[in-house]
Amino acid sequence: MMDEELLPAEERGLSQDQRAELGLGALVCGVVLVLLAMLVFILAEAWPSFAHNGLSWFGPGGNADTQIQAIFTSGDLQQAPQYLIHAWPLIWSTILTTVGAVAISFVCSLFVSVFMVEFAPGWLKRILEPVVRLLASVPSVIYGLIGVLVLVPFIGNHLITQSEKASVTPVIPLSGYSLLAAVVILTVMISPIMIAIFAEGLRSVPRGWLEGSLALGVNRWRTFWKIAVRTARPALIAGTILATARALGESVMLSMVSGSVAFAPTPADGLIFLFEPSRGLAPTILHNTDELTSPPMKHTLFAFAAVLLFSAAMLSLIGWATKQPMKRYFNVGGAAA
Amino acid sequence: MSATTLPPGAPGAGPPMRPTRVSAADSSASWRLTDRLGLAFAWLLGLLFCAIAVAIVAFFAVQGIRYLRPDLLWTNPRVGYTQGETGGFLDPMIGTFLVAGIAIGIAGPVGVGVAVWLSEYGRPAGLARVVESTVEMLAGAPSVALALFGILLFEAPALGFLSETNNGVVFGKSFFAAGAILSLVALPLVVSTVREGLQAIPNHVREASYAVGKTKSATIRRVLLPAARPSVTTGNMLGIGHVIGDTAIIVLLLGDTQTIQGVGHVPLLGVLRGTGSTLTSYIFDNAPTGDLNQPNKAYAATFVLLAIVLALNVIVDVFGRRAKELRWS
């Protein structure tokens, strides 16, 4: 960045400088090494579970809860280790909650950030910004508590009818711990992250571009959507990626709200689908932490974590790849990412 | 449009134009119906968002005032049959501060170092890209995965001195372990905030420092870091906010004992090597889905936690504004 030649070439000063650079370089390499160590350790620990199940690890089949129980007992009682797991119900639950929450909150966040940046009156802007920051910093356990004490009883008592409960009693009890509660609360949790990043991207769009469009007689609403939102696309991607990663890794709130049965909600059930309980990968890890003492259980839980970690890594890779072709044209919005 | 009322290219043409553009001539009355519906939807969502925040704060304020008794703040959790007998949450509160202190004690210096390296050195370029994606990945890594990594790491015999060891078996759960892994949660926030602050300092400031004969490291230490101090504070506060809000890592790595259980006889070190709980894990355990199921205690603890989070938000706000006020021209 700077011309080193301009500096006084004193022996002591230069060597001190070099030492500073080397020291910081070593620190930075250390951080990279920690991440690499994490990836390697988790994958190595997860390997036995994948190796024993092959691709059927990801497939459906049997009851995942009984499988997990068998895995735990086999290790706990020091019998021959069991590894059989078909984790599809857990994966499906993670996919449903994540995709549902991200889809809803993307639309909401886009509207709210456009409103916050351009259309809200000054006083409301001054309220909205701290509100977004506050909602982003509320701990997930508090969201979970709200879910468990307010939303879940509400869904259980008012939204699910007795006949609906009776219709599925042999399969699964409906008590309010549901996909709906999980998605609603997850949406509220990840929206502030999206809004903050979207708004930053929208703000960095040059005013001149908008004014050019306004001067052509396009109204403010159209102008903002056609010019600013398009320009800020890299920021939209960055925000969505970060929020998706947060939703994927959310364990505490989901373990409190989504119910704790490894059940795969089926859209074929109609509206009841929304009220069916489930449990994703991350809540399953949290749910079974006391059982890490059993070696096969440990490998299985690490396999869950490895899948989550791999998905998060893939997400940031996808984000990076989709941003590349846009970077050439939209340097403005990319700064926010 | 109304922009013509200003002379073209007038200095500061940006902000002063705003009020004129929201004039009646450009009101939404002339828009198409779909556009007006869109604006109405945006208004609705914006207000709904505020309403959710107000509802959350008001709900816990009311419940907190109802259930928070002063003695809850200075008694420890006890075993008891009714919610009146089970004590307060002094130790979880102390635990929260301890964990936040350890985590930010690691993440603060390391994060500032990484940010300085990224913004001031950044060579070789390949390493810089690797570091950037590392920080990005840490920001996106699920905290349960981090916690499992922590379990693996701190059960290693070489790190046994950081937690309880029993007949050569390392327990691996302690304030040290939880704090160290939580520092990975705080690190990306510190790095990105400080880096932004450093990049906002224009180059002529650095050049002026070199011109008076300061070396690069002296420039960083004496000129750049002091100038970026508001962003350093903001980054650390954001980091603390995330650290005290995390539950998964605490549940997995702090041992989840209700009170602080020290190890050994060295005063502070023993506590840090021991297990305990924080407000988040206390709330988690006391929620209806947790092991203890005492909603009144959960409400009271949530009130305290929310108050801490709000206070941190205000600090971030103040310093964030101060960072923006620093103008270089």
Side-chain angles (χ1 to χ4, degrees):
Chain A
M1 191 180 277
M2 300 292 145
D3 289 326
E4 251 83 18
E5 293 80 47
L6 292 179
L7 302 177
E10 252 177 76
E11 187 78 13
R12 230 177 94 247
L14 259 185
S15 72
Q16 195 195 351
D17 243 25
Q18 280 167 341
R19 252 185 292 146
E21 178 164 5
L22 281 179
L24 284 177
L27 181 78
V28 162
C29 291
V31 172
V32 175
L33 279 181
V34 167
L35 183 84
L36 283 181
M38 179 171 93
L39 295 178
V40 170
F41 278 172
I42 290 187
L43 279 181
E45 198 68 20
W47 185 245
S49 180
F50 292 127
H52 280 84
N53 287 291
L55 272 181
S56 65
W57 195 97
F58 298 95
N63 183 338
D65 272 337
T66 32
Q67 287 161 0
I68 289 174
Q69 196 54 43
I71 291 171
F72 169 66
T73 12
S74 75
D76 203 37
L77 304 177
Q78 309 200 325
Q79 301 162 340
Q82 282 268 340
Y83 281 104
L84 179 79
I85 175 92
H86 296 300
W88 175 249
L90 312 175
I91 299 172
W92 178 236
S93 167
T94 300
I95 293 175
L96 279 179
T97 46
T98 306
V99 171
V102 169
I104 299 174
S105 88
F106 180 81
V107 176
C108 295
S109 305
L110 197 53
F111 272 89
V112 173
S113 55
V114 164
F115 181 65
M116 190 169 95
V117 170
E118 182 69 17
F119 295 96
W123 58 271
L124 194 53
K125 257 180 220 176
R126 275 192 295 279
I127 297 175
L128 261 173
E129 279 168 30
V131 157
V132 169
R133 227 171 301 136
L134 171 72
L135 282 182
S137 61
V138 170
S140 56
V141 69
I142 296 187
Y143 281 116
L145 195 66
I146 296 171
V148 140
L149 293 169
V150 181
L151 196 61
V152 167
F154 176 76
I155 292 176
N157 297 334
H158 300 288
L159 294 187
I160 312 178
T161 57
Q162 286 303 324
S163 61
E164 277 172 344
K165 278 183 192 172
S167 70
V168 286
T169 304
V171 190
I172 194 94
L174 300 181
S175 54
Y177 293 98
S178 58
L179 194 61
L180 180 67
V183 168
V184 166
I185 298 198
L186 202 54
T187 305
V188 177
M189 275 182 71
I190 61 176
S191 291
I193 304 172
M194 282 196 189
I195 293 174
I197 297 175
F198 289 3
E200 211 168 304
L202 291 174
R203 270 193 210 108
S204 60
V205 175
R207 301 295 323 172
W209 297 13
L210 299 176
E211 272 145 30
S213 166
L214 287 172
L216 291 173
V218 183
N219 73 32
R220 279 208 303 149
W221 182 255
R222 285 285 164 101
T223 295
F224 208 74
W225 282 88
K226 295 275 173 190
I227 312 287
V229 173
R230 280 186 175 219
T231 312
R233 267 190 294 182
L236 298 193
I237 292 170
T240 312
I241 296 285
L242 200 64
T244 314
R246 177 90 192 270
L248 262 181
E250 182 50 50
S251 53
V252 175
M253 187 282 287
L254 288 179
S255 81
M256 292 165 88
V257 157
S258 73
S260 48
V261 236
F263 177 79
T266 34
D269 289 355
L271 204 59
I272 302 179
F273 161 68
L274 285 175
F275 301 131
E276 285 170 346
S278 64
R279 197 182 63 226
L281 289 168
T284 306
I285 300 175
L286 192 69
H287 190 76
N288 293 304
T289 44
D290 296 337
E291 302 175 354
L292 275 168
T293 44
S294 152
M297 190 68 189
K298 191 173 179 185
H299 296 314
T300 311
L301 290 186
F302 271 84
F304 296 157
V307 170
L308 286 177
L309 211 53
F310 182 76
S311 326
M314 281 301 108
L315 266 179
S316 57
L317 196 69
I318 292 171
W320 178 81
T322 41
K323 261 189 282 179
Q324 286 314 302
M326 291 183 204
K327 252 187 188 156
R328 229 174 303 155
Y329 308 106
F330 305 116
N331 264 326
V332 221
Chain B
M1 284 254 134
S2 46
T4 48
T5 53
L6 278 173
M17 218 149 46
R18 287 247 160 151
T20 57
R21 243 204 279 127
V22 198
S23 65
D26 196 37
S27 78
S28 58
S30 61
W31 299 1
R32 276 197 219 169
L33 184 64
T34 47
D35 297 359
R36 274 152 74 188
L37 280 179
L39 185 62
F41 188 54
W43 263 97
L44 180 79
L45 282 176
L47 293 177
L48 178 72
F49 216 70
C50 293
I52 290 173
V54 170
I56 291 175
V57 172
F59 177 70
F60 282 113
V62 169
Q63 301 288 10
I65 290 164
R66 229 164 87 196
Y67 297 116
L68 186 64
R69 298 281 167 272
D71 61 307
L72 290 183
L73 294 176
W74 54 74
T75 51
N76 277 327
R78 283 189 302 267
V79 180
Y81 292 107
T82 63
Q83 296 205 29
E85 292 174 18
T86 47
F89 39 82
L90 176 67
D91 269 5
M93 267 198 308
I94 296 173
T96 296
F97 290 119
L98 278 179
V99 159
I102 298 173
I104 217 64
I106 299 171
V110 173
V112 171
V114 171
V116 165
W117 187 85
L118 274 174
S119 129
E120 303 304 315
Y121 295 96
R123 283 172 313 181
L127 181 62
R129 206 166 303 154
V130 170
V131 172
E132 269 175 33
S133 39
T134 299
V135 173
E136 204 173 299
M137 262 213 72
L138 275 181
S143 63
V144 252
L146 289 174
L148 284 183
F149 169 60
I151 285 183
L152 220 51
L153 191 68
F154 289 100
E155 274 177 2
L159 291 174
F161 64 94
L162 291 178
S163 65
E164 195 176 0
T165 313
N166 203 349
N167 293 332
V169 177
V170 182
F171 187 46
K173 295 178 180 181
S174 68
F175 278 102
F176 277 128
I181 294 299
L182 280 169
S183 74
L184 293 180
V185 172
L187 190 69
L189 287 165
V190 180
V191 170
S192 59
T193 317
V194 175
R195 192 181 174 204
E196 228 164 80
L198 284 173
Q199 279 170 345
I201 303 173
N203 261 342
H204 63 71
V205 176
R206 295 177 181 88
E207 278 149 20
S209 170
Y210 297 144
V212 295
K214 277 193 192 299
T215 60
K216 192 163 183 171
S217 60
T219 303
I220 291 169
R221 221 175 42 241
R222 309 255 166 176
V223 180
L224 300 183
L225 282 182
R229 197 176 293 151
S231 3
V232 173
T233 316
T234 310
N236 279 327
M237 290 300 145
L238 285 175
I240 291 179
H242 262 227
V243 165
I244 63 172
D246 198 284
T247 317
I249 293 175
I250 299 290
V251 170
L252 265 75
L253 278 175
L254 200 51
D256 213 12
T257 51
Q258 289 301 310
T259 53
I260 293 175
Q261 308 275 338
V263 174
H265 302 291
V266 194
L268 183 64
L269 199 69
V271 168
L272 294 183
R273 286 176 61 198
T275 61
S277 59
T278 66
L279 283 174
T280 49
S281 70
Y282 183 82
I283 297 169
F284 183 65
D285 285 338
N286 281 297
T289 42
D291 300 334
L292 302 175
N293 191 2
Q294 312 175 88
N296 298 358
K297 295 287 164 62
Y299 278 130
T302 305
F303 180 72
V304 174
L305 183 60
L306 208 54
I308 297 175
V309 168
L310 273 173
L312 278 174
N313 256 294
V314 171
I315 297 176
V316 168
D317 227 40
V318 169
F319 278 93
R321 208 166 294 152
R322 203 172 291 176
K324 266 184 205 150
E325 274 168 15
L326 265 181
R327 286 266 171 85
W328 308 88
S329 51

